[in-house]
Amino acid sequence: MEKQKIGDRLDRVDGRAKVTGTAAYAADHKVQNVVYGFLVGSTIAKGRIKSINTKNAERASGVIAVITHFNAPELPGYRTGKDPSKPPTAGTPLRFFSTNEIFYYDQAVALVVASSYEEVLHAAKLVKVQYEKEAHQTNLAENLGNAKTPTGPRFEDYNRGEKDAYKNAPFKLEQEYFHPIEVHNPIEPAAIIAFWEGDDKVTVYTKTQGVQATQQSISDAFKIPLENIAVHAQHIGGAFGMGLRTWPYEIAAIMAAKKVGRPLKLVLHREQMFTNVGYRPKTLQKIGLGATADGKLIGLTHEATANTSPYEEFTEATVNASRFLYSCANVTTRYKLVPLNVCTPIWMRGPGEATGCFALESAIDELAYALNVDPIEFRVRNHSDKDEEKDLPWSSKYLKECYEMGAESIGWSERKLQSRSLKDGDWFIGYGMGTGAFGAFRRPCSVKAILKPDGNLVLQCSVNDMGPGTATMMTAIASESMGIAPENITIEMGSTGLPPGPMQGGSAVTSTVGSGVHDVCNALKDKIAELAAKNNTVFSNNQTRITANDLAFSANEISLKKDGAAKLSYDELLKRNTLQSLEVTKESKGPEQPYSSYSFSVHFVKLRVHMSTGKVKIDHVVSCADAGTIISLKTSESQMIGGAVGGIGMALMEDLFIDDRFGRPINNNLADYHVPVNADIPRVDVRFVNKKDPYTNPMGSKGLGEIALVGVAPAIANAVFNAIGKRIRSLPITADKIIEA
Ligand code: MOS
C-alpha cells in the first residue's frame, strides 16, 4: 500500500484481527491453571445480610472457595484515583464483601470459585442468603426532596446576568423533560483475569478504558506499588464509558485470585451487566426559555436532577451546554443529585451533554414553533459568536456550516412548519434537527517510536482502542509523517509499562495521542537527520546544518530534498551508527490557549409516524460535524454512524425499567431491554465540515466520539412533533405515548 495522508480512507488496522477472532479481549487470554469466579447477587435492594449458607455450594463439584463478607480477607485500602475528592469517584467506592449492608439489587453477596465455568454456575445457585430487609428507594420523582447540589467546580448553581430572567420575557416557555436509565451492554461483557506472583505482584487482563487508572485503583486497594501491577487491555469490545473506572467486581476478582492462589477469571453474566457496571442515570430536567418577539433569547434556565447511588456522587455536565450553546445574556443552571438504591452510574457517550441537549434542543424547537420561526433560523438568530460562559473566543466554530449542509442533505425545504401537513398513506412525515456540542480536549501523553533497519515502525502508547479506530488514526498520522506504508507500522497499545497515554474517553484521544504520534515522528525525523549528518558527507554541510526539513522521508530511506539522488537507507544509517533500531520517546502536551474549544454537531432526521399503531419509522438521518480536521475518514464516518444508532436507541427504545415495589429491573436482559437492530436503522449520511482548528493540536482536529450522539435524540423528538403535532418530553418515545390522547 502507498503511504497514507491525513484524511484518507484507511481501513481499520485491527479490523482483520477483530473479525477473524484473533484479537484477544480480556476473557480470551489463555492463562494456565485458571479457575472461574461467579458473583451471587442480592435479591433485595436495601437492608442487611443476616446469614449466608454456603455449605451446599462448598460441597458441590469443583468448588474451590465461596467468599462472602464472613470470610473475605481485609483489603488495606480502597479509594479510587489519586484525588478521591474529585468526581466521579467522590465518596467511597463500594467494596464487595466488606460489609453486610445491601445498597442495591444484585449487589454481590458471594463470589464462588470453581474449576470450570459450568461448575461455578451450578454452585452459585446453591448459595442461600437470609436478609433483613429495609425500605428501599428507587423512584426519582418520589425522592426529589433529597436532592442535593454535588461538590465540584462546574456543578454549583450558575448565574449569568439576571437570575431566571426567562420568567419576565415577552415570549416564554417552561417545560419538563425526562429520560430513564440507559445501560451500556457492549457486546464484550465486563470481564477480568487476575493472577498473582507472590504476595505483592499482580497481572490483570481486564475490560478498562484506561490501564493506568486501573493500575492506580489496584494499588490503592491492595497497597502495593504501581510497578508491581501489570494491566492489559489492548482490545475492547465496546465500552462507551463503562470502562472509565474500576468496578467492585474487578477488585473482588483480584482479591479472590490471591485468596485461592490461582489465576482467576470472572466474566459478568449478561443480567449482571444491567445492575453492576453503571449506566446513564435517569434525569428530570426543567427548561425555562424567554425570547423577544423577533426571536432573540433573553433568558435561559436549565435545571437537572439525576440519580446517584447511596455511596458515591456521580456527576455529569447535564446543564453545562446551556451556558454556551446559544447567545443569551441571562442564564441560570442548577444541578442536583438524588441518592437511590442502585449501583453508581457511569459516563455514557455524551455523558450529560446528550441528555442535557435532549431537553435544551427540544425546548428550543418548542419555542421556535411558538414564535412561528423555522427552528434552524431560530438557532442562527441566537448563534453564539464566542463562549459567553468562559468569555473567550472559540478556537473554531463551524456550526452554521453544519446547519446548511445538513438542511440540504435531508431536504429541509420539503419540511412544513405546520404539523400533520405531510402524509404518505397512513403515515405522517416529519423533519427535525438537534444540535450537539462537546469539549475538545487535549491531554498530556507520551509515545515511543522504534524505527527498524527495514523501515518498519513501531509506535507504543498505553492508550487502548475501544473501537473508534485509535490505532488506525495513529497509523494514518505516522504514515503521512514518515512516508511509511500502513502495513509497515505496528501499534503497541493497551498495557501499563508502555509510555503513558490518556484514558480512552472524553472524545480526547485523537487530539491527545494523535498529537503524541505527530510529535514523536518529528522527534524521530530530527534524530534521523542528526545521525545522517554525523557520519555521511552527503548529508552534512559545514555551512548550514542539515535538518529534518531538508530531508524527504520514504518507505525505508531518506533523501535530500534538493538533490533527490542523494539517498541513505535506514539499514545503512543504523549500521553506521551501530544501532539495531532507532528509538525515540516524546512527551507531548498542548500549550495553554486563550480559546474555548468545542466540537459541534447537527443531526437531521426525516421520519414517519403511524398514528393508529404508534410506530415511528426513521427514513433518513444526516449527521454533520464540525470536528476540525478529519484524520481517518472511514473510521470517523463509522464513529458518527454508531452515534446515530445509539441516539436512535436513546430516543425510541432504551429504558431500564425498575419495578419500584421490589427495587429491581424487570427488563435486565437483551430480549426485553430494546436496542435498535439493523431493520431500525435507516440510511445515515455523515458530513464533515473538515476545516482545521488552528489551536487545538498540530493536526487541527477536535473530538468526535460524543458529538456523534449528542443531538440525535432531540432531532428525533422534534421530527415526531413536526410529523404529528404532539410533543413527547419523556424518553423513550414509544407507541403508547404516541397513541394516548
Ligand atoms: Mo466516553 S462516555 O468518554 O467513554
Side-chain angles (χ1 to χ4, degrees), residues 209 239-242 244 347-351 466 504-507 706:
Q209 289 169 247
F240 313 100
M242 66 154 276
L244 286 172
W347 289 312
M348 179 187 278
R349 205 167 189 181
M466 68 171 157
Q504 171 72 249
S507 295
E706 330 283 337

Side-chain angles (χ1 to χ4, degrees), residues 201-448:
K201 225 169 158 234
V202 68
T203 298
V204 303
Y205 296 99
T206 190
K207 177 156 189 164
T208 176
Q209 289 169 247
V211 289
Q212 253 100 26
T214 299
Q215 184 189 42
Q216 182 67 50
S217 304
I218 297 170
S219 171
D220 293 340
F222 294 91
K223 297 284 178 224
I224 52 176
L226 289 175
E227 58 272 22
N228 288 11
I229 303 161
V231 180
H232 305 290
Q234 184 188 354
H235 295 292
I236 308 174
F240 313 100
M242 66 154 276
L244 286 172
R245 68 169 294 172
T246 303
W247 292 104
Y249 84 88
E250 294 174 281
I251 299 297
I254 298 166
M255 176 267 284
K258 190 172 189 183
K259 186 173 158 88
V260 301
R262 302 256 304 260
L264 183 137
K265 183 193 285 200
L266 176 64
V267 181
L268 291 204
H269 193 276
R270 187 53 74 180
E271 289 189 2
Q272 296 169 330
M273 294 295 295
F274 290 79
T275 46
N276 270 296
V277 282
Y279 51 85
R280 201 195 281 288
K282 49 184 156 187
T283 312
L284 184 65
Q285 301 183 64
K286 288 184 192 177
I287 302 270
L289 294 180
T292 59
D294 59 352
K296 179 73 197 83
L297 277 176
I298 50 173
L300 194 172
T301 293
H302 189 167
E303 296 179 4
T305 307
N307 82 270
T308 187
S309 71
Y311 48 90
E312 284 173 301
E313 257 182 13
F314 172 79
T315 51
E316 52 184 12
T318 314
V319 296
N320 297 21
S322 289
R323 302 174 187 170
F324 63 80
L325 197 51
Y326 295 103
S327 174
C328 185
N330 307 297
V331 176
T332 303
T333 68
R334 302 180 183 95
Y335 176 70
K336 292 189 170 65
L337 294 179
V338 174
L340 294 179
N341 289 106
V342 279
C343 155
T344 307
I346 189 65
W347 289 312
M348 179 187 278
R349 205 167 189 181
E353 287 81 358
T355 49
C357 283
F358 162 63
L360 176 64
E361 287 292 287
S362 294
I364 290 280
D365 198 69
E366 294 196 45
L367 188 57
Y369 276 96
L371 293 163
N372 221 13
V373 180
D374 179 283
I376 301 175
E377 170 58 27
F378 184 68
R379 285 169 171 85
V380 171
R381 281 186 206 171
N382 292 288
H383 183 267
S384 54
D385 298 328
K386 64 167 187 175
D387 180 338
E388 294 180 4
E389 179 191 11
K390 296 183 191 144
D391 195 20
L392 287 175
W394 305 111
S395 61
S396 63
K397 184 181 183 187
Y398 297 106
L399 188 53
K400 287 180 189 165
E401 285 80 348
C402 290
Y403 292 140
E404 274 168 33
M405 58 172 60
E408 183 234 297
S409 295
I410 200 82
W412 190 256
S413 56
E414 302 296 310
R415 172 190 174 274
K416 304 275 180 270
L417 189 57
Q418 188 60 44
S419 291
R420 299 198 179 215
S421 308
L422 285 175
K423 262 196 115 173
D424 177 10
D426 288 343
W427 298 83
F428 286 108
I429 311 288
Y431 292 80
M433 47 83 65
T435 314
F438 196 85
F441 306 106
R442 175 178 170 188
R443 306 199 168 105
C445 165
S446 190
V447 181
K448 182 175 184 177

Side-chain angles (χ1 to χ4, degrees), residues 481 518 521-530 532-533 539 544-553 558-563:
S481 177
H518 172 275
C521 287
N522 280 347
L524 179 64
K525 291 201 272 197
D526 287 344
K527 188 79 194 163
I528 291 167
E530 184 194 316
F539 290 91
T544 51
R545 233 177 89 82
I546 297 281
T547 68
N549 284 334
D550 303 312
L551 301 176
F553 295 81
I558 51 169
S559 54
L560 271 182
K561 275 186 193 161
K562 66 173 164 58
D563 173 14

